[in-house]
Amino acid sequence: MIKQQFKGSNKMNLLLLVALLLAMMVIPHFAKSATVALISRIFILTVYGMSYDILRGYMGFINLGHALFFGSGAYIAGILFTKLDNTFGIFILVVLITIIYCSAAAFIMGKIVIRGGSVIAGAMITLALGEIVRNMAERWRSVTGGADGLPFSIPPIFRDRLHFYYYALIFMLVMTLILRQFLLSPTGRVLLAIRENEQRAKFLGFNTDKYKMIGLQVSGISAGLAGVMFGVFNRFANTDLLSVQQTLNALLITLVGGTGTLYGAFVGSGFIAFVQNTLLNLRSQYPIFERWLLFFGAMYVLVVLFMPSGFVGLWQKLISEAREKKKGSAVDAK
Amino acid sequence: MTEALIKTEGLTISFGAHKAVNNVGLALEKGLFTTILGPNGAGKTTLFNLISGLLTPTEGKIYFKGADITSLSPIQRVKMGMGRSFQLTNVFPTLTTYENVRLAMQAHEDIGYRIFTNHRKFSKLNDKTDAILERVLLKDKKNQPASQLSHGEQRKLELGMVLALEPEVLLLDEPTAGMAIEEVPTMIDILQRTKDSGTTIILIEHKMDMVKQLSDRLIILVNGGLLVEGNPEEVSQNPEVLAAYLGGGVLNEVSS
Ligand SMILES: Nc1ncnc2c1ncn2[C@@H]1O[C@H](COP(=O)(O)OP(=O)(O)OP(=O)(O)O)[C@@H](O)[C@H]1O
Ligand SMILES: [Mg+2]
């Protein structure tokens, strides 16, 4: 009985997913080019949000330096396209170097933070690490363009906005599958165990520090790849991409969408991009929306107050309540 | 006398001025079932915390299988074959009963840091997990989140998880605490079978019927110190014990 219901809701989820996928495939043919660009951005930020969810939602780790992976990805793309050539071959090189760089950066970050103990201490240390990297990018003018940022040209294959939309969609789908597979692996299950009860995981004999290190690496690499796509999308990298603000974006995506679900990142980044866009449009009509950041902030406070597990959490709660009700009425019928 | 599997020398831990465990020297033999008795606050759980590595002693040494493990981490001690359960249920609350035990089994089987194989694809793990669930009578609850189990079921899950580790020595901290009386015989049965399979068991317990049926040796702990150690018969006759601790009542029951 329970199993059947379970299967039923799985089927519904699958249908929903297929419908959503189809919609995403046809949308660009009907939408304005600004919308196409907005959705491409959402796809990329979804991956960034998912990478953060692995830390916050699965390892219970607050990383305030997470943007250093994201921004570095964008910079690696910009630097290599500028210094070498803007071909597809170089793009592959960008991806490889980003993977290596982020893996190394995550390793260093992990070595410093993971043993450190409290979540607060970890947050402070990662904050400092992020600032160090941002500062370095600002100072190293000859390569990064310093505070002015680094505009660059991209391989021709990525220049068409419509095509890029599909690349971004594929990127998001592939990364979702990879990360989902990772979280379903024995290693991913241990991350879940760490979230639930780290002490007990240790008393089962799991070397929790090592598992956290793996989680941080996977998260860092994913964020770096999202950064590459973001850089290619904007054809521009600047130090904002390495800033605390950029880290907070990831945090907010998971806050709004819901943690520990991966899919929450899609909902979160979609919602945020939508609200941001609406507020900015309103600004041109109503002067009060000059203070749009204020409204934006208020929205977060409301979300945190009324939907502590984000939209996905709310959805799951509604579903399980509906199910309880059904069960209740079934019992009554007997 | 067989070899001591776990040995402590002058084991002491102070919380401020209070010595929760005070100069305890123990030798726990391989293959025997030892029960630790003592009033509330005697330091029994603290002693387990020291042996399992949750706490570091202020003074003294701990040996396991002849090796000094005083400075080893809990993880290293588990890898050497020490498993413990907790007095307060300590599981992964939102994961299913099955997944709780499966994770313990995964830790024991040491399948390495696989990152792309689905965790349900390891049929040996799945089979052994099912066997454990059968053993602790939780088979029909396997798809329920641990947090939704009744208290007694959570105690069984707690035990199932540590049994999955197939430890050489099993430290059990009041496995029946708060359990309904009618469930206790099942627990005794599970422990008896675990003992028969050759596992060395150290039990902290207040329930006398369990102590009587299972114990080869008794240890009485009072105020952090070791009062007596010996076989149940001896201990219950010990005048010091009768006078100082139980006033005769409970231990008469043990010897009868
Ligand atoms: N981490 C700690 N910090 C301070 N005091 C502690 C700590 N752990 C235990 N104690 C104290 O040490 C004493 C022994 O506690 P312990 O939990 O070992 O008793 P116990 O014999 O297991 O009792 P019970 O039968 O109630 O489980 C108690 O007075 C307790 O308050
Ligand atoms: Mg205790």
Side-chain angles (χ1 to χ4, degrees):
Chain A
M1 164 82 183
I2 288 174
K3 223 175 198 167
Q4 247 166 18
Q5 268 181 4
F6 190 65
K7 265 191 191 146
S9 82
N10 263 358
K11 214 180 225 168
M12 215 179 80
N13 277 342
L14 200 71
L15 273 177
L16 212 74
L17 206 68
V18 170
L20 198 65
L21 257 178
L22 282 176
M24 287 190 296
M25 276 169 26
V26 296
I27 277 176
H29 296 285
F30 302 105
K32 287 183 301 193
S33 66
T35 313
V36 172
L38 179 72
I39 301 178
S40 311
R41 211 178 119 99
I42 292 173
F43 291 158
I44 297 170
L45 290 179
T46 296
V47 176
Y48 180 48
M50 287 194 298
S51 77
Y52 202 73
D53 193 20
I54 292 180
L55 300 182
R56 189 170 103 88
Y58 286 84
M59 282 165 43
F61 172 53
I62 298 296
N63 181 354
L64 289 185
H66 197 57
L68 81 85
F69 300 110
F70 185 76
S72 297
Y75 268 109
I76 290 171
I79 293 167
L80 294 191
F81 287 143
T82 315
K83 302 273 166 185
L84 298 176
D85 197 2
N86 56 348
T87 62
F88 188 71
I90 298 297
F91 175 75
I92 300 292
L93 186 69
V94 166
V95 168
L96 290 178
I97 291 188
T98 301
I99 290 173
I100 295 167
Y101 171 94
C102 288
S103 173
F107 182 79
I108 295 168
M109 186 185 260
K111 278 286 165 209
I112 299 172
V113 166
I114 288 173
R115 278 185 171 274
S118 85
V119 174
I120 306 288
M124 291 301 132
I125 295 169
T126 49
L127 179 72
L129 289 176
E131 276 305 290
I132 291 172
V133 173
R134 197 189 62 80
N135 253 296
M136 273 162 44
E138 209 169 88
R139 303 263 162 98
W140 199 13
R141 299 188 119 264
S142 59
V143 175
T144 62
D148 302 335
L150 177 70
F152 53 89
S153 60
I154 56 172
I157 177 171
F158 293 126
R159 283 183 199 155
D160 185 279
R161 284 289 176 201
L162 193 63
H163 288 177
F164 188 81
Y165 173 95
Y166 288 105
Y167 298 140
L169 176 60
I170 291 169
F171 171 66
M172 178 183 77
L173 293 178
V174 169
M175 288 306 290
T176 307
L177 286 178
I178 291 178
L179 293 179
R180 203 180 106 88
Q181 200 56 36
F182 169 66
L183 290 170
L184 285 175
S185 73
T187 302
R189 291 289 105 177
V190 178
L191 291 186
L192 213 62
I194 291 174
R195 170 184 83 184
E196 295 276 303
N197 187 344
E198 178 166 3
Q199 186 209 59
R200 187 53 194 251
K202 281 187 184 159
F203 276 90
L204 293 180
F206 288 119
N207 192 337
T208 50
D209 288 350
K210 258 193 197 151
Y211 283 92
K212 285 179 169 177
M213 179 64 102
I214 295 173
L216 186 56
Q217 301 250 337
V218 170
S219 164
I221 292 170
S222 309
L225 293 176
V228 170
M229 290 300 278
F230 202 70
V232 171
F233 173 73
N234 288 319
R235 306 167 195 199
F236 184 64
N238 66 1
T239 51
D240 287 352
L241 298 183
L242 293 164
S243 66
V244 184
Q245 182 56 46
Q246 190 60 34
T247 296
L248 289 183
N249 283 342
L251 178 66
L252 294 174
I253 288 172
T254 59
L255 258 182
V256 172
T259 54
T261 60
L262 275 193
Y263 311 106
F266 179 69
V267 181
S269 59
F271 183 77
I272 287 174
F274 174 76
V275 172
Q276 213 167 14
N277 215 41
T278 313
L279 288 175
L280 285 174
N281 284 343
L282 283 173
R283 184 168 64 165
S284 55
Q285 293 168 30
Y286 305 99
I288 184 157
F289 285 99
E290 282 298 336
R291 305 248 178 272
W292 68 278
L293 254 177
L294 210 70
F295 288 91
F296 208 49
M299 180 201 78
Y300 285 127
V301 173
L302 289 178
V303 165
V304 172
L305 278 181
F306 295 106
M307 301 192 302
S309 348
F311 276 111
V312 170
L314 190 70
W315 173 245
Q316 282 168 346
K317 203 174 128 198
L318 289 178
I319 285 192
S320 75
E321 270 174 14
R323 210 177 274 167
E324 286 292 308
K325 238 184 207 166
K326 225 181 181 176
K327 232 195 256 167
S329 61
V331 171
D332 286 347
K334 269 180 206 164
Chain B
M1 172 144 175
T2 40
E3 138 202 24
L5 194 59
I6 290 183
K7 208 170 79 179
T8 70
E9 281 172 4
L11 201 60
T12 303
I13 186 164
S14 316
F15 298 116
H18 176 59
K19 288 187 173 172
V21 169
N22 190 2
N23 196 24
V24 169
L26 283 175
L28 301 165
E29 287 168 41
K30 199 177 165 115
L32 289 191
F33 194 115
T34 308
T35 300
I36 300 176
L37 283 167
N40 291 110
K44 305 179 296 293
T45 298
T46 308
L47 180 64
F48 267 19
N49 288 344
L50 290 168
I51 295 175
S52 65
L54 189 61
L55 294 172
T56 314
T58 320
E59 264 172 71
K61 290 208 172 305
I62 307 161
Y63 299 89
F64 181 39
K65 298 198 274 190
D68 183 351
I69 59 163
T70 317
S71 58
L72 294 189
S73 70
I75 302 169
Q76 288 168 309
R77 298 181 201 202
V78 174
K79 293 280 179 221
M80 285 177 75
M82 187 189 288
R84 78 165 286 189
S85 76
F86 292 81
Q87 182 172 0
L88 300 172
T89 300
N90 191 356
V91 296
F92 305 116
T94 72
L95 304 187
T96 60
T97 305
Y98 183 89
E99 188 58 13
N100 269 274
V101 176
R102 200 204 60 79
L103 274 163
M105 197 54 92
Q106 177 184 324
H108 174 58
E109 291 287 318
D110 206 5
I111 54 173
Y113 297 87
R114 307 285 199 86
I115 60 170
F116 286 120
T117 325
N118 190 297
H119 67 288
R120 297 298 286 264
K121 289 249 168 76
F122 298 83
S123 50
K124 189 177 165 203
L125 287 190
N126 296 341
D127 294 346
K128 291 183 86 172
T129 301
D130 280 325
I132 293 280
L133 287 172
E134 184 106 57
R135 208 160 135 197
V136 297
L137 311 173
L138 286 175
K139 206 152 189 188
D140 49 336
K141 304 280 177 178
K142 66 191 234 181
N143 291 320
Q144 275 194 28
S147 59
Q148 280 178 21
L149 296 179
S150 74
H151 182 78
E153 288 162 351
Q154 288 193 357
R155 301 305 298 162
K156 288 183 203 156
L157 174 57
E158 177 83 38
L159 181 65
M161 287 168 76
V162 68
L163 287 179
L165 298 178
E166 296 176 357
E168 275 179 64
V169 63
L170 193 53
L171 308 174
L172 298 174
D173 196 348
E174 302 197 31
T176 63
M179 227 184 199
I181 301 198
E182 59 274 19
E183 290 184 297
V184 173
T186 340
M187 198 55 117
I188 295 181
D189 195 48
I190 296 170
L191 293 186
Q192 183 68 50
R193 265 187 277 164
T194 311
K195 176 186 171 184
D196 294 343
S197 72
T199 309
T200 308
I201 299 177
I202 304 161
L203 174 75
I204 296 175
E205 189 52 74
H206 291 298
K207 292 203 173 64
M208 276 308 144
D209 43 348
M210 279 186 88
V211 176
K212 256 196 299 184
Q213 279 188 43
L214 295 165
S215 312
D216 300 315
R217 286 184 82 72
L218 288 187
I219 287 173
I220 312 267
L221 214 59
V222 176
N223 283 330
L226 183 74
L227 192 65
V228 222
E229 180 186 2
N231 65 42
E233 201 73 0
E234 277 167 24
V235 170
S236 54
Q237 304 297 328
N238 187 308
E240 207 181 341
V241 174
L242 297 175
Y245 167 36
L246 296 159
V250 182
L251 287 185
N252 279 341
E253 227 187 291
V254 175
S255 59
S256 64

